[in-house]
């Protein structure tokens, strides 16, 4: 019997678990993978993450992991013209770090604080609280658990959302591929966002001499975009790529009584905008605050409404970056023309970069 059960061990689920366990709640986390594992992501950690990592007492641990401090963003148009925006410097910079390292660190912190963690555990059935029992019954692989509160932190294709009939219709208009490669000579501490006729590519050094390479395209163009990457970076056709879809999905209401949704389970963020990890950590902390309040006897409906409002505020005025990334793939030539126009209005690119690395 647990106070809170969390499905999904990424940054959203692990941060929520860590904050709940820190408040002495009996906390369970179920994760279908065995960590460490990689995940399709731009691997960028924007400066807004540092205060949350400090509250988890992890900031210095992150700084000791292999990473790159990013100094600039380069936008490259289809014609090859490059525009550069300098990133903020200081003690809390934008960095790039492999998800296998970062996610393992957060999960380990949740465990240190007392969270019971079951890896390799896939949720197969849920029974919601009812007139007979006030608890959630969660069946995962070959075990059953009970919990007063349930948190869905299991990503854009959320199993919890599907089992509860909350998952909206999924559009597979675009797909993404990602891999890590040896860092090219003289690549530097930069993020590259490159527009191509077939879609776009994101590139960033992640430390230890490795490069994160992401490709985003529509299905019919992905083979051509992958061929470009193989030629550009000398990649073997047998190279292993990770993939993810959908990149767009309608949002889900974030609170349903004693069910809370966090991270991409609630609101999908483009993997390459540089913001996804921040939203995961921040929504995990918001949900933990709400769960702690429920445990202290505050009105459940009032707390759920407050969490929904705070969650919406977290994203307000920022999801246009998602729409911009979508448009860049569906109309790469138009995006490249707009990039060319930005040469005469550099404040537009500075605004975009500031939104991402606020």
């Amino acid at each position: 019997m647990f106070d809170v059960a969390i499905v999904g061990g990424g940054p959203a689920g692990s941060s929520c678990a860590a904050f709940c366990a820190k408040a002495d709640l009996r906390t369970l986390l179920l994760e279908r993978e065995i960590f460490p594992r990689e995940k399709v992501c731009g691997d960028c950690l924007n400066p807004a993450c540092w205060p949350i990592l400090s509250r988890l007492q992890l900031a210095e641990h992150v700084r000791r992991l292999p990473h790159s401090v990013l100094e600039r963003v380069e936008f490259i148009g289809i014609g090859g013209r490059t525009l550069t925006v300098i990133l903020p410097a200081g003690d809390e910079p934008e960095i790039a770090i492999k998800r296998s390292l970062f996610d393992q660190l957060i999960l380990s912190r949740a465990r240190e604080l007392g969270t019971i963690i079951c890896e390799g555990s896939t949720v197969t059935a849920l029974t919601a609280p009812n007139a007979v029992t006030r608890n959630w019954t969660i069946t995962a692989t070959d075990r059953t658990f009970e919990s007063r509160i349930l948190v869905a932190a299991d990503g854009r294709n959320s199993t919890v959302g599907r089992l509860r009939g909350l998952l909206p219709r999924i559009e597979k208009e675009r797909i993404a591929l990602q891999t890590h490669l040896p860092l090219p000579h003289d690549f530097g501490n930069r993020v590259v966002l490159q527009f191509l006729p077939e879609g776009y590519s994101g590139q960033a050094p992640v430390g230890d001499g490795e490069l994160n390479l992401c490709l985003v395209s529509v299905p019919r163009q992905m083979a051509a975009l992958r061929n470009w990457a193989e030629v550009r970076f000398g990649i073997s056709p047998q190279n292993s790529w990770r993939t993810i879809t959908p990149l767009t999905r309608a949002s889900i209401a974030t609170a349903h009584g004693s069910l809370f949704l966090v991270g991409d389970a609630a609101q999908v963020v483009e993997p390459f905008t540089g913001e996804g990890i921040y939203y995961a950590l921040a929504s995990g902390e918001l949900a933990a605050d709400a769960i702690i309040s429920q445990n202290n006897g505050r009105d459940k409906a009032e707390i759920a409404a407050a969490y929904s409002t705070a969650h919406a505020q977290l994203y307000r005025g920022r999801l246009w970056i998602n729409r911009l990334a979508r448009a860049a793939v569906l109309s790469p030539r138009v995006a490249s023309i707009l990039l060319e126009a930005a040469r005469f209005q550099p404040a537009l690119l500075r605004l975009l970069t500031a939104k991402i690395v606020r």
Side-chain angles (χ1 to χ4, degrees):
M1 177 63 195
F2 293 90
D3 294 314
V4 55
I6 299 165
V7 180
S14 291
S15 62
C16 185
F19 284 117
C20 286
K22 191 176 180 181
D24 294 326
L25 299 185
R26 292 166 295 176
T27 305
L28 169 71
L29 190 150
L30 302 171
E31 167 56 49
R32 68 179 180 181
E33 303 287 346
I34 304 294
F35 279 36
R37 58 90 179 96
E38 291 296 349
K39 188 172 177 64
V40 177
C41 180
D43 284 348
C44 290
L45 211 66
N46 75 40
C49 295
W50 291 109
I52 304 173
L53 293 172
S54 293
R55 290 191 285 276
L56 288 169
Q57 298 179 303
L58 288 177
E60 293 307 314
H61 293 273
V62 172
R63 290 187 173 97
R64 288 195 291 269
L65 292 175
H67 69 275
S68 290
V69 176
L70 302 173
E71 299 171 352
R72 64 190 188 276
V73 180
E74 291 185 0
F75 298 87
I76 303 177
I78 289 177
R81 189 181 295 275
T82 300
L83 294 178
T84 300
V85 178
I86 302 301
L87 294 173
D91 294 334
E92 296 183 342
E94 175 100 0
I95 69 170
I97 184 170
K98 291 180 73 171
R99 286 290 299 272
S100 55
L101 300 176
F102 183 78
D103 290 10
Q104 178 72 57
L105 183 67
I106 311 267
L107 186 72
S108 295
R109 181 59 175 151
R111 182 182 283 113
E112 288 172 2
L113 291 167
T115 301
I116 302 301
I117 296 174
C118 298
E119 297 180 70
S121 189
T122 300
V123 172
T124 56
L126 293 171
T127 301
N130 52 46
V132 178
T133 173
R134 297 193 301 173
N135 303 318
W136 288 91
T137 301
I138 306 137
T139 301
T141 309
D142 58 350
R143 301 177 68 182
T144 299
F145 306 90
E146 286 195 14
S147 177
R148 293 190 305 104
I149 296 171
L150 178 65
V151 176
D154 50 347
R156 63 195 62 220
N157 296 309
S158 170
T159 297
V160 174
R162 176 175 55 80
L163 291 174
R164 296 303 301 155
L166 302 173
L167 204 62
R169 184 172 180 268
I170 293 174
E171 300 288 346
K172 296 185 178 180
E173 62 179 2
R174 292 168 301 143
I175 57 175
L177 300 181
Q178 185 246 13
T179 192
H180 290 106
L181 306 170
L183 185 68
H185 179 63
D186 292 336
F187 188 88
N189 292 325
R190 60 182 175 138
V191 179
V192 173
L193 297 176
Q194 186 165 358
F195 298 98
L196 298 147
E198 302 83 11
Y200 77 85
S201 167
Q203 306 147 33
V206 293
D208 268 0
E210 289 191 274
L211 177 76
N212 178 317
L213 173 64
C214 299
L215 306 175
V216 185
S217 185
V218 295
R220 69 179 183 278
Q221 294 275 30
M222 181 52 83
L225 184 59
R226 180 171 168 174
N227 182 68
W228 167 86
E230 290 172 354
V231 173
R232 168 68 179 80
F233 294 98
I235 304 171
S236 166
Q238 284 73 47
N239 181 71
S240 177
W241 295 82
R242 289 170 286 276
T243 186
I244 191 170
T245 192
L247 299 186
T248 297
R249 195 210 68 201
S251 61
I252 302 175
T254 53
H256 303 259
S258 58
L259 169 63
F260 295 85
L261 287 84
V262 296
D264 276 356
Q267 177 68 69
V268 170
V269 178
E270 293 278 342
F272 316 121
T273 60
E275 299 187 298
I277 297 175
Y278 164 68
Y279 286 130
L281 294 172
S283 62
E285 185 176 20
L286 285 176
D289 290 342
I291 292 163
I292 293 165
S293 293
Q294 277 202 10
N295 191 65
N296 291 337
R298 290 182 55 197
D299 181 74
K300 289 185 178 181
E302 177 185 321
I303 290 167
Y307 171 68
S308 295
T309 300
H311 187 277
Q313 183 61 41
L314 185 65
Y315 290 82
R316 185 163 292 128
R318 302 179 57 79
L319 291 177
W320 60 271
I321 298 173
N322 265 13
R323 293 190 288 271
L324 187 64
R326 177 176 178 269
V329 174
L330 298 181
S331 305
R333 293 190 182 278
V334 173
S336 194
I337 291 170
L338 292 176
L339 181 62
E340 182 70 16
R343 288 196 306 121
F344 305 100
Q345 292 291 337
L348 294 176
L349 283 182
R350 286 197 296 270
L351 172 63
L352 172 62
T353 305
K355 281 287 187 181
I356 293 175
V357 300
R358 59 178 175 176

